[in-house]
Every structure is written in C-alpha cells, then in structure tokens.
Amino acid sequence: MIYFLASQIPALKEFSHKERLAIVADSLELLSAQERILMNILKLLLITPLFLLLVRFEGWSMLPWLLLAGIAYPILVLPVRHYFASMHLEQAIQTHKKGS
C-alpha cells in the first residue's frame, strides 16, 4: 500500500500528528547506510524528470511549472519515505512508548 501521509499508516493511527512525525523520523534514523542510500537514489530518480522539465522554461512562464514542482515534490517523495520508514516502524513505536 502507498501511504502519502503518516496518518494513513495503520500502525500510527493511535498517535497524534506530532507523535506520528516523530515516530517516522525515529524509524528513518534506524535505517542502515545501504537502506538510506537506496531510499535517496529512488527519491532522486523520481524527482529528476520533474526538475529537468523546469530547465526548458524561462522568465515568468516558469512560475506555473515551479508551483507544479512544489506540489508534486511531496507527492513523489513521501510515499518512498514512508515505505522505508515502515521497515523499522515497530521498533520506533516501542521506543516512543518507552520514552513517553
């Protein structure tokens, strides 16, 4: 399943918005170096065509495309981030519950 928001992840339903973001961040910190590199390469592959499209425009005609890129960036990147966070989500939730 593709999750665009942390609130869509079933394991995080019981937590507040702030707690969800902290748990996802903690989960991403638990990634190994290889997993981080893979995640960043995937994100780069997804956003590169978008920014290559921006090179074609100049001046004020670039403005709508910049706005589109600003909206598309999180739509493209967040599902990858949440997928990799889900790998260590249970451990991050346990750590969060111990700390609370």
Side-chain angles (χ1 to χ4, degrees):
M1 182 90 181
I2 296 174
Y3 302 113
F4 291 99
L5 302 170
S7 61
Q8 295 174 330
I9 300 172
L12 299 177
K13 291 281 186 189
E14 65 186 73
F15 299 102
S16 70
H17 177 71
K18 194 174 186 179
E19 290 175 320
R20 281 186 223 128
L21 295 179
I23 292 170
V24 168
D26 291 344
S27 179
L28 289 172
E29 287 179 14
L30 296 172
L31 292 175
S32 67
Q34 293 87 3
E35 291 169 333
R36 281 181 200 217
I37 290 169
L38 181 60
M39 178 183 70
N40 288 327
I41 288 173
L42 286 174
K43 291 189 320 187
L44 187 61
L45 288 173
L46 288 173
I47 63 170
T48 299
L50 178 67
F51 287 102
L52 287 176
L53 177 73
L54 293 176
V55 175
R56 298 177 144 200
F57 300 99
E58 291 182 13
W60 288 101
S61 65
M62 185 187 293
L63 186 61
W65 296 105
L66 285 173
L67 292 173
L68 178 67
I71 292 169
Y73 179 81
I75 293 172
L76 294 172
V77 170
L78 285 178
V80 174
R81 185 174 182 250
H82 290 144
Y83 171 76
F84 278 91
S86 67
M87 292 179 183
H88 299 285
L89 201 55
E90 291 302 321
Q91 186 179 357
I93 289 172
Q94 290 174 358
T95 305
H96 179 75
K97 285 184 178 179
K98 285 180 187 176
S100 296

